Amino acid sequence: MSTYDYRKMKIIRDEEEDRISRIRLDRWIFGLLLLAISFIPLLIAGHVKEVVGPFITNVDLISSGIKGDMFTYYKALLLLIIAILAMALLLVKVMFIDGQIKVTKLNVFLIIFLIALMLSTLLSPSISIATWGQYNRTDGAIPYLCYITLFFVALNINYPPKALEYIMYALYPLIAINFILMTMNFFGKDVMGDPIVTKLMTIFLPEGSTLGENAVLLGTLNQWNYMSGMFAVMTVMYLAWAIIDKNKIRSMINSLVAVVAFAIMLMSISTSGFVTVIAIMPLLIVLAIKSNHMKQAAVVFAVFLIVTLPIFHMLAKEDPRVWNESIGFIVKKNPYIKEQLIASATEPYNFSLERRAYAADNQFELPVLPGRGWSAGSGRIYIWEKTLKLTMERPLFGYGMDTIMYHFPHYNIDARAGMWSEDTIVDKPHNMYIGVLYGTGIIGLIGFMGIVIMTTLTAFKVVWTRKYMTLAVLAIGWLAFLLQAMFNDSLPGTSGPLWAIAGIMMGLVFAKNESKEKTESFES
């Protein structure tokens, strides 16, 4: 017998002490998850880096050089730190105080996706970019490893009784701060003009670096589409909480918080959020019926509609695009746009010398160019078709995450019909699932979709079954995130918090199932 085995046999463990230590570690890990959920989406700071692109070109977006970012680098850096700390604490729990890793089929799909993610990066034509992602998106392999790490860690810890309340309270600042920023921007008072805000945002920039003169701050996320998708998720989560909450005062408060989140979504001028909210509404109705709070649910929906309608009218009156990117998805005629008089047919037509033809040109035939237009989804269908065709050239492991800008067939003449202009540079697929397929290939998509399908089925079960009622808020949020991801890409500020929420949901479901099994075993 070795010395190690002898010492191991002599160790007398105090199970109660181990149990208390596990509880403490779980609390620390839960604190890290709350930090990821609440603070990562809020973090904004300027960062400058030297970008080395794979091509020599004079196109600014693709070319190499010193480039800056305000929204993703430090979010991704904090995400990485939190993921490492959380995983380290979980390992301590498992290795030294008798912690357990849950045995589930999810682990198989997590492993498949992680292997595909690593291989796709190593085999990528643009390894350095595939590792971290584009300088202004930071959605490469490392951020995806962090998403999965947060999900896995969250799946394997125990939670305090009021975990849901802590999560929802932690998201209040995200909604409040973005409401202020978005409202100011929407009404023409961009906060970037404030010297204090500018100083805070440039605190990490090297000396001599400044913000561009045309820089604007929509909110704490990158762009309109991400703001719309994220605050659609916030809208349905707080509506769900208002429906199931037994505390009537807090229920009313959260129905108003849902209104605020919905207003942010409308001001984001993007259809993806509105479509998400409409698609999730039937699940909220099911939740209301299952919750035995029909009267309360009716009041919640009434308050939401009564307050939302005048806000919608005010915003659409200020900017008619609010109608176009919401109800306009269904009703095309916009009542907030005044009809413009069409030029009279009797007005003289101005000829230009450049349009004249001469006899010597009679034999010359101009090529027939596609008419300018947009494919469905503001050009998304065109992007998806080209991306899927591109992916078939490297079907097993793809091109590496977040490298599409360097491989997409830009300047195709048919882009006139799909994206209005053949000069448009496509830097993202506008679909998380197509992005994963492009980046990690078919093998990666199998692992990823296995995770998505299993968590989706669990989320539907949570909404449908009364015994999981308190988890329905997290389930609704995760389903909304997966839905809006059909039209939006993944980013550290949106994906990080929601993958953590999905892991917490799954962990709490497993805990309830284990508790039920122990009870049934004891009774038998």
Side-chain angles (χ1 to χ4, degrees):
M1 182 181 295
S2 68
T3 304
Y4 174 77
D5 291 335
Y6 177 78
R7 289 177 179 175
K8 188 175 180 182
M9 288 177 63
K10 292 295 184 181
I11 293 175
I12 300 175
R13 304 200 61 85
D14 186 335
E15 178 56 35
E16 180 61 19
E17 185 178 340
D18 282 353
R19 188 186 67 82
I20 294 173
S21 297
R22 288 196 296 271
I23 292 173
R24 288 173 180 169
L25 273 181
D26 285 344
R27 287 175 179 172
W28 277 101
I29 295 173
F30 182 52
L32 289 171
L33 294 175
L34 285 179
L35 184 63
I37 291 168
S38 61
F39 191 63
I40 286 178
L42 287 174
L43 188 56
I44 303 176
H47 175 256
V48 173
K49 69 175 293 186
E50 175 105 26
V51 176
V52 180
F55 305 116
I56 298 175
T57 175
N58 60 354
V59 179
D60 182 60
L61 286 174
I62 306 177
S63 64
S64 303
I66 303 294
K67 301 192 179 185
D69 162 67
M70 297 296 299
F71 296 98
T72 65
Y73 177 80
Y74 288 104
K75 284 182 172 71
L77 186 60
L78 179 59
L79 174 70
L80 177 61
I81 293 171
I82 292 174
I84 291 173
L85 289 175
M87 179 56 80
L89 291 177
L90 180 63
L91 290 176
V92 168
K93 175 184 169 183
V94 171
M95 295 175 66
F96 299 108
I97 53 176
D98 201 26
Q100 300 295 318
I101 297 295
K102 291 183 174 66
V103 179
T104 166
K105 293 178 182 177
L106 264 174
N107 294 340
V108 176
F109 291 111
L110 287 169
I111 292 170
I112 292 173
F113 181 61
L114 290 177
I115 291 173
L117 192 62
M118 289 186 286
L119 287 176
S120 68
T121 304
L122 292 173
L123 299 174
S124 171
S126 313
I127 297 178
S128 61
I129 296 167
T131 301
W132 267 101
Q134 296 175 32
Y135 72 94
N136 60 347
R137 284 170 40 79
T138 321
D139 198 43
I142 290 178
Y144 263 90
L145 285 172
C146 293
Y147 305 152
I148 298 304
T149 298
L150 290 184
F151 176 85
F152 180 76
V153 171
L155 177 66
N156 286 287
I157 67 171
N158 294 314
Y159 294 92
K162 294 185 178 181
L164 171 64
E165 295 177 20
Y166 296 146
I167 293 169
M168 300 305 287
Y169 291 149
L171 287 168
Y172 280 151
L174 175 66
I175 294 174
I177 291 172
N178 278 280
F179 179 69
I180 294 170
L181 295 176
M182 183 60 83
T183 302
M184 291 180 68
N185 181 273
F186 188 81
F187 289 98
K189 297 179 182 179
D190 190 75
V191 74
M192 291 289 284
D194 189 303
I196 297 177
V197 173
T198 303
K199 181 65 177 177
L200 289 173
M201 293 178 65
T202 57
I203 193 170
F204 296 117
L205 290 179
E207 188 175 349
S209 300
T210 59
L211 298 176
E213 294 182 2
N214 297 323
V216 295
L217 184 61
L218 302 174
T220 63
L221 302 177
N222 291 42
Q223 194 252 5
W224 305 99
N225 292 327
Y226 307 124
M227 292 288 291
S228 178
M230 186 63 166
F231 287 97
V233 173
M234 296 297 103
T235 299
V236 296
M237 283 183 73
Y238 280 96
L239 268 179
W241 194 20
I243 289 171
I244 69 169
D245 197 356
K246 295 179 180 179
N247 186 319
K248 293 183 179 180
I249 295 176
R250 189 170 59 192
S251 176
M252 288 301 100
I253 291 173
N254 285 317
S255 64
L256 294 176
V257 173
V259 171
V260 174
F262 189 75
I264 300 172
M265 185 206 74
L266 290 175
M267 289 186 284
S268 299
I269 315 293
S270 175
T271 309
S272 61
F274 182 80
V275 171
T276 299
V277 171
I278 295 301
I280 293 294
M281 276 297 170
L283 289 179
L284 291 173
I285 294 172
V286 169
L287 185 63
I289 295 171
K290 293 288 181 178
S291 68
N292 290 328
H293 291 92
M294 287 294 292
K295 290 183 179 179
Q296 179 176 317
V299 173
V300 166
F301 281 120
V303 169
F304 182 78
L305 290 174
I306 290 170
V307 181
T308 296
L309 289 175
I311 291 176
F312 176 86
H313 172 71
M314 179 183 67
L315 295 177
K317 189 175 181 181
E318 178 71 19
D319 188 339
R321 290 181 301 168
V322 170
W323 173 284
N324 292 339
E325 300 296 335
S326 55
I327 296 177
F329 180 76
I330 304 168
V331 181
K332 298 301 180 184
K333 184 175 176 58
N334 189 337
Y336 293 94
I337 297 179
K338 295 181 180 179
E339 293 185 5
Q340 308 237 348
L341 294 175
I342 301 175
S344 172
T346 59
E347 291 181 5
Y349 181 77
N350 295 322
F351 289 93
S352 171
L353 291 175
E354 286 76 17
R355 297 188 181 187
R356 292 181 180 178
Y358 296 90
D361 298 329
N362 284 345
Q363 301 301 317
F364 179 73
E365 294 183 3
L366 291 172
V368 178
L369 299 177
R372 294 193 184 277
W374 293 93
S375 65
S378 301
R380 283 175 171 81
I381 295 298
Y382 173 82
I383 295 173
W384 296 346
E385 288 176 351
K386 294 294 183 183
T387 303
L388 290 174
K389 184 176 180 181
L390 186 65
T391 302
M392 291 303 101
E393 297 178 10
R394 294 174 64 94
L396 288 180
F397 296 107
Y399 289 80
M401 296 300 298
D402 208 18
T403 63
I404 191 171
M405 183 168 66
Y406 300 98
H407 301 285
F408 193 87
H410 305 297
Y411 302 115
N412 274 13
I413 198 65
D414 58 349
R416 290 167 60 95
M419 300 193 66
W420 192 265
S421 172
E422 63 273 25
D423 295 330
T424 302
I425 299 297
V426 174
D427 62 344
K428 50 188 175 289
H430 291 279
N431 183 302
M432 182 176 72
Y433 308 100
I434 292 178
V436 169
L437 174 61
Y438 163 86
T440 64
I442 295 172
I443 295 176
L445 185 66
I446 291 171
F448 187 80
M449 290 308 298
I451 301 168
V452 168
I453 291 170
M454 289 192 68
T455 54
T456 298
L457 292 175
T458 300
F460 275 113
K461 183 179 180 180
V462 165
V463 175
W464 191 259
T465 308
R466 284 194 176 97
K467 68 177 180 178
Y468 299 117
M469 193 59 65
T470 56
L471 307 181
V473 177
L474 306 182
I476 289 287
W478 178 241
L479 290 172
F481 172 75
L482 294 178
L483 184 61
Q484 64 83 41
M486 292 290 295
F487 316 102
N488 290 325
D489 304 279
S490 169
L491 281 180
T494 56
S495 295
L498 268 300
W499 276 98
I501 285 174
I504 293 170
M505 175 194 74
M506 296 299 294
L508 288 169
V509 168
F510 278 121
K512 281 185 175 291
N513 289 342
E514 289 172 2
S515 177
K516 181 182 177 182
E517 289 174 4
K518 288 179 181 178
T519 302
E520 291 175 350
S521 175
F522 178 77
E523 290 175 351
S524 62

